[in-house]
Amino acid sequence: MKVVIVGGVAGGATAAARIRRLDEQAEIVVFERSGYVSYANCGLPYYIGGTIGDPEALTLQTPESFLSRFQVTMKVRHEVTAIHPERKCVTVRDLESGREFEESYDKLLLSPGAKPTQPRLPGMGMEKVFTLRTVEDTLRIKEYINQNRPRSAVLAGGGFISLELAENLRELGMEVTIVQQLKQLMNPFDLDMAAFIHAEMRRNGVNLALGHAVEGFEEKDGGVDVLLKEGAPIHGDMVVLAIGVTPDSHLAQEAGLALGLKGSILVNDRMETSAPDIYAVGDAVQVKHFVTGEDAVIALAGPANKQGRIAADNICGGDSRYQGSQASSVIKVFGMTAAATGVNETAAKRAGLEVDKVILSPMSRAGYYPGGKLMTMKVVFEKGSYRLLGAQIVGYEGVDKRIDVLATALRAGMSAIQLKDLDLAYAPPYSSAKDPVNMAGFMVENLAKGVVKQFYLEDVDALPRDGSVTLLDARTVMEHSQGNIPGFRNIPVDELREHLDELDPSKPVYVICQSGLRSYIATRILAGRGFDCYNFTGGFRFYDAVTHDRALTEQAFACGMDK
């Protein structure tokens, strides 16, 4: 059996190694148009910033190492220019010599990946406007920075690459501005959770121009003016486009293979395309979202690796199936970690799901053990069934551990209530006896049993201030004096019983505290005396972070720039 693989990196390289492990006799040929067949995409910004000092560290495997260990022929700087399914061969161009030839196959695997989205805007293709996707892109940016010592950069886009690159350029002492068409960074997060990411970026000197669409680029004063649809141009010594990626599916399209969402390659759960003996994996293919069941294109390394393994199994006569992606991700944002799995509240509602949520601010360690850090967790679940739909966490310690637990629970089909039953490792330096994941489960169970009712950030402004309801702040007097929501009366929870005769039991009571815990205790005190109570999920800390971020974003938008 002869297998030809188009594209290396995550999916193609994984498939090549797996095929060899399953079939010692197979002939395996990989064509990769770049000069690197297996490299760490996610590490590229960290080489630019100097965290990774050796460029060879980005290369996971070389053609020589693949040949030595797996007897796989890796041909770099070779571009497949056409697929001929009827003749079971591909046309290949040697990019160094210009020679073209045909290569036959018994099985063909497409792993072309995705290419940076490059809209047709005036000024595209300028020398100082870069994209970052390949090792070659990284080396060009690094060389330009070393030779020209730019003092400022504008990054167009607010996703993973943009945030990682912003951090690394700040480490080099550059002024950095991120321009994003949406009024938030990081689409996997709801806007309220993205507020914490925005705050960390601003805290580290990154300027945010949110809600601005880029309309083009102009050379000016030795640099580049980024032209905005609304707002004054933003000047930088260099610009990096990181506005997303597009499936690189032109070969499949030209060969007549069926395409799906966003022009991606249509595959079944065996990673088979519409053409016999042709498989496809990675960022270029359409998959099913594990939570919603909807068609999706998810450009992440983890799914690509799994798909490469599954395709290899099936090429070798097995029957492996891809169960869908839940888009688990994590990112370092300066000192903060932000992570997500499943769908966020916004996406769940867009998919037509009836959703609810709990928001909590637990410590990463036992409260009495020094060094613990607060994190903010948002767990989204389906109303009625309490099916776990997704989670988002931002914080400074222990975030990756909790998101992986939640991702596993989601994959296992657990309900949000069942999170309370997870038997998780505990020692004071690492967690509390009631782990934050357990705490989320306890909160959902309380909702399910009617022990507590919630109100939300989006409800606060609409609450009447005419005396028809009681608005109660259960924090200390000192906390209340340092910031509060207008209209909320301050009665500390520990003094609440002494003031019950001042409250009207015929009126609903809406209670808030710093994190949601003391206000929950207050609602239980009140409910025990016949009051109809609602607890604010997330607490004042959450409310303050989100509303402060919104104010900054709107102010910056009005000025055309966040300084």
Side-chain angles (χ1 to χ4, degrees), residues 46 159-160 163-164 186 189 329-333 336-339:
Y46 297 99
F160 291 94
L163 267 65
E164 291 169 345
M186 295 299 293
F189 295 81
S329 63
V330 64
I331 183 172
K332 178 181 180 293
V333 185
M336 175 181 279
T337 301

Side-chain angles (χ1 to χ4, degrees), residues 3-6 10-12 14-15 18-19 107-113 252 257-258 264-289 296-316 318-325 411:
V3 182
V4 170
I5 299 175
V6 180
T14 294
R18 176 68 172 173
I19 291 168
K107 304 285 185 180
L108 176 65
L109 175 63
L110 304 179
S111 180
L257 275 61
S264 56
I265 304 171
L266 199 62
V267 295
N268 60 19
D269 59 358
R270 287 170 47 86
M271 310 313 298
E272 296 169 321
T273 70
S274 60
D277 297 319
I278 300 181
Y279 298 74
V281 300
D283 295 356
V285 306
Q286 175 180 295
V287 297
K288 293 291 184 184
H289 197 288
V297 179
I298 296 174
L300 293 170
N305 274 283
K306 295 177 184 70
Q307 292 160 16
R309 179 185 175 91
I310 288 167
D313 287 352
N314 295 324
I315 285 171
C316 294
D319 186 24
S320 292
R321 308 274 175 164
Y322 187 63
Q323 302 299 318
S325 174
R411 178 64 62 161

Side-chain angles (χ1 to χ4, degrees), residues 455-465 470-491 510-515 519 534-548:
F455 70 108
Y456 309 94
L457 181 73
E458 54 268 29
D459 300 326
V460 172
D461 289 343
L463 290 174
R465 266 68 171 182
T470 299
L471 306 179
L472 184 63
D473 188 327
R475 296 178 298 158
T476 66
V477 173
M478 177 67 74
E479 288 173 319
H480 184 265
S481 68
Q482 293 174 345
N484 58 77
I485 303 175
F488 277 72
R489 177 185 177 184
N490 182 215
I491 304 178
Y510 293 84
V511 192
I512 190 169
C513 73
Q514 193 70 8
S515 69
S519 52
Y534 297 83
N535 185 35
F536 182 78
T537 188
F540 182 80
R541 173 181 172 270
F542 180 78
Y543 170 88
D544 188 49
V546 178
T547 54
H548 182 64

Side-chain angles (χ1 to χ4, degrees), residues 35 37 59 61-76:
V37 73
T59 305
Q61 293 282 353
T62 65
E64 294 76 18
S65 67
F66 253 104
L67 183 63
S68 173
R69 177 163 295 182
F70 298 112
Q71 289 297 292
V72 170
T73 302
M74 292 280 189
K75 293 183 177 289
V76 295

